[in-house]
């Protein structure tokens, strides 16, 4: 499973808390609550994060970010649940999704060899946007 980055999850939590007065924000915040309630009784960073986000204020963002990062490293199940929530609500919260690159164990190997006569070549991985040649 691709885990959404700690930055994305933190920004989504903060955006949902800040937009709870709007219909979209309230819906995202209410969807997050069952995920947090399930984690509240866990020991360690998942329980701490659940407790810290019961009443999130802008000044609490550094602590939320720290706890999310720890959760991603130590509790893959809860990290997956937070990732699912963030992916589902990122659009309505206007949060860009980035992924935790530490969780990506794939490799790309691009080779041009022999008598290849290449005029235009694009090699790489995870391209986004328009590519003109």
């Amino acid at each position: 499973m691709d885990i959404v980055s700690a930055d994305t999850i933190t920004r989504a939590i903060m955006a949902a808390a800040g937009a709870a007065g709007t219909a979209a924000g309230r819906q995202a915040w209410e969807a997050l609550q069952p995920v947090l309630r399930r984690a509240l009784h866990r020991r360690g960073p998942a329980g701490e994060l659940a407790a810290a986000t019961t009443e999130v204020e802008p000044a609490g963002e550094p602590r939320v970010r720290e706890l999310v990062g720890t959760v991603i490293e130590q509790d893959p199940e809860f990290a997956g649940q937070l990732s699912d929530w963030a992916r589902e609500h990122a659009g309505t919260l206007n949060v860009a999704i980035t992924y935790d690159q530490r969780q990506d164990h794939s490799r790309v190997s691009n080779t041009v060899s022999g008598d290849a006569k290449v005029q235009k070549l694009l090699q790489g991985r995870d391209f986004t946007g328009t590519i003109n040649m």
Side-chain angles (χ1 to χ4, degrees):
M1 168 191 291
D2 290 333
I3 301 296
V4 172
S5 71
D7 183 60
T8 298
I9 293 170
T10 301
R11 284 186 289 113
I13 289 171
M14 300 307 291
T22 68
R26 186 171 40 260
Q27 182 180 8
W29 185 252
E30 288 173 0
L32 178 61
Q33 296 314 301
V35 175
L36 296 175
R37 272 194 299 276
R38 285 191 298 272
L40 193 55
H41 302 292
R42 291 182 175 177
R43 293 182 183 192
E48 288 181 54
L49 177 63
T53 55
T54 55
E55 292 185 28
V56 178
E57 295 181 14
E61 183 173 345
R63 180 70 178 141
V64 170
R65 184 178 308 281
E66 175 188 341
L67 288 169
V68 169
T70 304
V71 163
I72 287 174
E73 291 176 5
Q74 296 181 6
D75 193 335
E77 180 185 347
F78 186 49
Q81 293 170 357
L82 288 172
S83 290
D84 291 345
W85 172 81
R87 270 193 293 273
E88 182 178 343
H89 297 282
T92 58
L93 296 171
N94 200 25
V95 172
I97 296 177
T98 57
Y99 290 90
D100 185 2
Q101 298 302 315
R102 295 170 300 174
Q103 301 294 322
D104 187 359
H105 303 291
S106 62
R107 295 175 188 242
V108 174
S109 176
N110 299 299
T111 305
V112 176
S113 62
D115 293 332
K117 295 182 176 145
V118 178
Q119 293 187 358
K120 294 181 181 181
L121 174 67
L122 179 66
Q123 293 182 317
R125 183 191 145 173
D126 300 336
F127 294 100
T128 60
T130 304
I131 298 173
N132 295 311
M133 297 180 104

